[in-house]
Amino acid sequence: MKKINPQIISKSFRESVHSEILANQYKINIVGFMCNDDPAAKKYADYTKAACEEVGINFDLRIVPRVQIEDQITLANEDDRIHGIFIYYPIFGVERDAYIKNLVSPYKDIEGLNQYWASKLYQNQRFEDQNKKYKSILPCTPLAIIKILEEIDINVRNKTISVFNRSEVVGRPLASMLSHDGAKVYSFDLDGVLLFHNGTIEEIDIDREKALASSDIVITGVPSKKFEMIRPSEIQEGIVGLNFSTIQNFEKATLDKLSTFIPRVGPLTVTMCLRNSLRLYKNYFKG
Amino acid sequence: MKKINPQIISKSFRESVHSEILANQYKINIVGFMCNDDPAAKKYADYTKAACEEVGINFDLRIVPRVQIEDQITLANEDDRIHGIFIYYPIFGVERDAYIKNLVSPYKDIEGLNQYWASKLYQNQRFEDQNKKYKSILPCTPLAIIKILEEIDINVRNKTISVFNRSEVVGRPLASMLSHDGAKVYSFDLDGVLLFHNGTIEEIDIDREKALASSDIVITGVPSKKFEMIRPSEIQEGIVGLNFSTIQNFEKATLDKLSTFIPRVGPLTVTMCLRNSLRLYKNYFKG
């Protein structure tokens, strides 16, 4: 089993972002909003800051009370010295955080989570304009997963893929992107299985056992210990496994049966945000 | 204790919508989308249909598989024979349903749930245009609650109000509207208490006991049997109580201590949707 280090894949993307910023002397300023003082979140923010500095983007972390986040986003949207906005979720919870995601101007939304970009993604509109000059912004974690698969030469066309997680932030956009690229995707979530295929979504009557037995790639992102980890008996020999959850969703013995395992995507997620920052800056701000 | 029947309050609003439609010979077509065959949902749809017929609005119920709802909404948005869209939630769950709510064109959003209207509400922008010709669309249940309080001559200015529920559909917009009208609102939800006052939101360190003891109006909407019902010992004699939950949130003995009790708002919610339909039609479609 070959274990993939996302940090190594990340490197060339960061270098390319860095050299483009350097060559053009772009001055890109992004702001990160954090509404708590959780040490893990702070660590993640430090990590984002370091990544930004590495590629020459100026990152300003602002810790604000959660009741002020909406006003702060509105001010940042209007502030033409700010070119990108990054928000550390969760803040209030799923429902209100969805509102907050949509408050960020799409032209400053480096995480690609706004409804504006999401609806382009689901409709497979890969460019924002009719002249195909401005590429749409894609959400960072699903984009990172697609890029990893590309980098390790795994073509998803005509592949069968099981994805465990159908959040609007990762699982659903990922299933949609993979299916637009030609894969047949079984999307598992607490409310059942959906099949994403050829640009359509269908209810499908397939159980985990059958879906896993027919999968070329298994992608998991279930941050719960209640999730039954993927067992070796459930998968074919030599398939690809990827886990983007903070906790391990594959049994140890399952890993030995994989040809390739990607244990996390975090570093590449941040890199895709840097890449989105550059894209937004070039599209809408460089003047 | 005076018990308010929302059906009676509803009557004069419906008559006024009806006579305006009749006088102008408006032909308003709205479409309702339902993604299940749950008998309770079907009953609610029948009720909406009857209410529409009562005021002269044409209501077309379409039962569609949930995986087709997004395409169906997009088609309805583009169909100029359709003037309003009504959706029966839940469909997938909170996160994706938030996406679906925002897919409905704001100009056909008779429930007032789209981010476009929500952000106007939270910013207290009561008109859509600078000339103050087009009034903003408000979400139906919180609007119904405000209208009931107005109709029974309860002025919320300078009143202290406790609201149990802070969903984006009812509790938060309601707290925001009440505070814009001059009330001091303690908003309770699983993630704590917030104070809505003078157009701002603050974290506040107050417990249920103190908030209830100082409240002139108590509004509940907690659809859970785990919620500790409001007890008589917790409230002052002669205050106003309103419950918009499907289950009872006040103890029986508490009701005797109230001056006025509004046990449900359902019929007026539907009426406010009819009113919104008429407003949207006049604003954007009558040609």
Side-chain angles (χ1 to χ4, degrees):
Chain A
M1 185 269 293
K2 197 168 78 182
K3 203 168 174 177
I4 303 295
N5 183 347
Q7 222 139 8
I8 292 170
I9 295 179
S10 185
K11 207 164 172 275
S12 69
F13 285 105
R14 290 204 189 174
E15 280 168 5
S16 127
V17 171
H18 187 201
S19 61
E20 190 170 345
I21 290 173
L22 213 58
N24 295 283
Q25 294 188 291
Y26 291 147
K27 302 277 175 226
I28 308 176
N29 299 310
I30 71 179
V31 168
F33 287 111
M34 185 177 287
C35 295
N36 59 51
D37 48 10
D38 173 28
K42 183 66 175 59
K43 203 172 158 186
Y44 183 37
D46 289 344
Y47 182 75
T48 325
K49 192 176 177 64
C52 283
E53 281 168 2
E54 194 183 323
V55 300
I57 290 175
N58 182 42
F59 178 79
D60 177 14
L61 180 68
R62 298 181 184 176
I63 294 168
V64 302
R66 62 177 188 164
V67 293
Q68 284 175 22
I69 186 67
E70 295 176 23
D71 289 344
Q72 291 287 329
I73 291 172
T74 304
L75 288 172
N77 282 340
E78 289 163 359
D79 185 341
D80 55 18
R81 293 163 302 182
I82 296 173
H83 310 113
I85 298 172
F86 191 101
I87 299 181
Y88 295 91
Y89 296 100
I91 300 174
F92 285 96
V94 171
E95 196 186 11
R96 186 154 169 196
D97 287 359
Y99 178 84
I100 291 170
K101 277 169 195 153
N102 286 325
L103 267 191
V104 175
S105 161
Y107 304 116
K108 298 190 178 184
D109 177 22
I110 61 185
E111 295 174 274
L113 297 177
N114 190 294
Q115 179 103 6
Y116 182 81
W117 297 119
S119 71
K120 290 199 189 300
L121 186 159
Y122 294 136
Q123 292 166 53
N124 201 23
Q125 293 173 4
R126 300 192 176 201
F127 291 86
E128 205 213 347
D129 59 325
Q130 295 208 316
N131 299 330
K132 299 195 171 185
K133 199 177 157 197
Y134 301 131
K135 273 189 138 179
S136 294
I137 296 296
L138 295 167
C140 298
T141 303
L143 178 60
I145 292 169
I146 299 281
K147 290 291 177 193
I148 289 175
L149 296 174
E150 280 174 13
E151 288 294 308
I152 60 176
D153 282 325
I154 290 165
N155 187 341
V156 301
R157 179 162 305 278
N158 298 323
K159 294 287 198 311
T160 300
I161 306 177
S162 290
V163 179
F164 291 83
N165 172 308
R166 199 165 56 239
S167 71
E168 290 296 310
V169 176
V170 189
R172 180 155 84 118
L174 176 63
S176 182
M177 288 159 81
L178 290 168
S179 87
H180 290 140
D181 287 345
K184 182 169 153 185
V185 183
Y186 297 120
S187 163
F188 284 83
D189 206 27
L190 288 179
D191 77 339
V193 199
L194 295 176
L195 171 66
F196 288 67
H197 195 209
N198 290 329
T200 65
I201 310 174
E202 291 166 44
E203 303 280 349
I204 187 168
D205 192 19
I206 193 170
D207 56 17
R208 159 173 165 150
E209 195 189 359
K210 282 208 181 96
L212 282 175
S214 68
S215 288
D216 305 295
I217 303 171
V218 174
I219 301 177
T220 57
V222 189
S224 162
K225 285 185 178 162
K226 284 186 195 152
F227 176 73
E228 264 184 63
M229 291 199 282
I230 309 291
R231 293 182 298 276
S233 59
E234 293 182 297
I235 61 160
Q236 295 175 69
E237 186 83 39
I239 69 160
V240 174
L242 184 152
N243 175 42
F244 66 84
S245 170
T246 45
I247 74 167
Q248 184 52 270
N249 290 157
F250 286 81
E251 276 189 13
K252 261 205 169 139
T254 310
L255 303 183
D256 297 329
K257 226 179 148 180
L258 301 173
S259 62
T260 309
F261 181 56
I262 303 107
R264 62 190 186 114
V265 302
L268 202 59
T269 292
V270 173
T271 303
M272 291 302 127
C273 286
L274 303 176
R275 214 164 159 267
N276 281 349
S277 303
L278 174 58
R279 174 164 294 163
L280 287 169
Y281 183 82
K282 288 196 299 181
N283 284 355
Y284 310 112
F285 298 107
K286 75 179 157 82
Chain B
M1 184 267 293
K2 197 168 77 180
K3 203 170 175 176
I4 303 296
N5 182 347
Q7 223 139 7
I8 292 170
I9 294 178
S10 185
K11 209 164 171 274
S12 69
F13 284 105
R14 289 204 190 174
E15 281 168 3
S16 124
V17 170
H18 187 201
S19 60
E20 190 170 344
I21 290 174
L22 214 59
N24 295 283
Q25 294 188 288
Y26 291 148
K27 303 277 177 226
I28 307 177
N29 299 309
I30 70 179
V31 168
F33 287 111
M34 184 177 287
C35 295
N36 60 50
D37 48 9
D38 174 27
K42 183 66 176 56
K43 203 173 155 184
Y44 183 36
D46 289 343
Y47 183 75
T48 323
K49 191 175 177 62
C52 282
E53 280 168 2
E54 193 184 323
V55 301
I57 290 175
N58 181 42
F59 178 78
D60 177 14
L61 179 67
R62 299 182 183 174
I63 295 169
V64 302
R66 63 177 187 166
V67 291
Q68 284 174 22
I69 186 66
E70 295 176 23
D71 288 344
Q72 291 287 330
I73 291 172
T74 304
L75 289 172
N77 282 340
E78 288 164 358
D79 185 342
D80 54 18
R81 294 162 301 182
I82 297 172
H83 309 114
I85 297 172
F86 192 100
I87 299 182
Y88 295 90
Y89 296 101
I91 299 175
F92 285 96
V94 170
E95 195 186 11
R96 186 152 167 199
D97 288 0
Y99 178 83
I100 292 169
K101 276 168 195 151
N102 287 325
L103 268 191
V104 176
S105 160
Y107 304 117
K108 299 191 178 183
D109 178 22
I110 63 185
E111 295 174 275
L113 297 177
N114 190 293
Q115 180 106 4
Y116 182 82
W117 297 119
S119 71
K120 290 200 187 299
L121 187 158
Y122 294 136
Q123 291 166 53
N124 201 22
Q125 293 173 4
R126 299 193 177 203
F127 291 86
E128 205 212 345
D129 58 324
Q130 294 208 317
N131 299 330
K132 300 197 171 183
K133 200 177 155 198
Y134 301 131
K135 273 185 135 178
S136 294
I137 296 296
L138 295 167
C140 298
T141 302
L143 178 59
I145 293 169
I146 299 281
K147 290 292 177 191
I148 291 174
L149 296 175
E150 279 175 15
E151 288 293 309
I152 61 176
D153 282 324
I154 291 166
N155 186 340
V156 301
R157 178 161 305 279
N158 299 322
K159 295 287 197 312
T160 299
I161 306 178
S162 289
V163 178
F164 292 84
N165 172 308
R166 200 164 56 238
S167 70
E168 290 295 310
V169 175
V170 189
R172 180 157 84 119
L174 176 64
S176 182
M177 288 159 81
L178 291 168
S179 87
H180 290 141
D181 286 344
K184 182 170 154 186
V185 182
Y186 298 120
S187 163
F188 284 84
D189 206 27
L190 288 178
D191 78 337
V193 199
L194 294 176
L195 172 65
F196 288 67
H197 196 207
N198 290 330
T200 65
I201 309 174
E202 289 166 44
E203 304 279 350
I204 186 168
D205 192 18
I206 192 170
D207 57 18
R208 160 173 165 150
E209 193 189 3
K210 281 209 181 94
L212 281 174
S214 69
S215 287
D216 304 294
I217 303 172
V218 175
I219 300 176
T220 57
V222 189
S224 162
K225 285 183 178 163
K226 283 185 196 152
F227 177 72
E228 263 183 63
M229 292 200 279
I230 309 291
R231 293 182 298 277
S233 60
E234 292 182 297
I235 60 160
Q236 296 174 69
E237 186 84 40
I239 69 160
V240 174
L242 184 152
N243 175 42
F244 66 84
S245 170
T246 44
I247 74 167
Q248 184 52 269
N249 291 158
F250 287 81
E251 276 189 12
K252 260 206 170 140
T254 309
L255 303 183
D256 297 330
K257 224 178 148 181
L258 301 173
S259 61
T260 308
F261 180 54
I262 302 107
R264 62 190 187 115
V265 302
L268 203 59
T269 293
V270 173
T271 303
M272 290 303 126
C273 286
L274 304 176
R275 213 162 160 267
N276 281 350
S277 303
L278 174 59
R279 174 164 294 163
L280 286 169
Y281 183 82
K282 289 197 298 180
N283 283 357
Y284 310 112
F285 298 106
K286 76 178 157 87

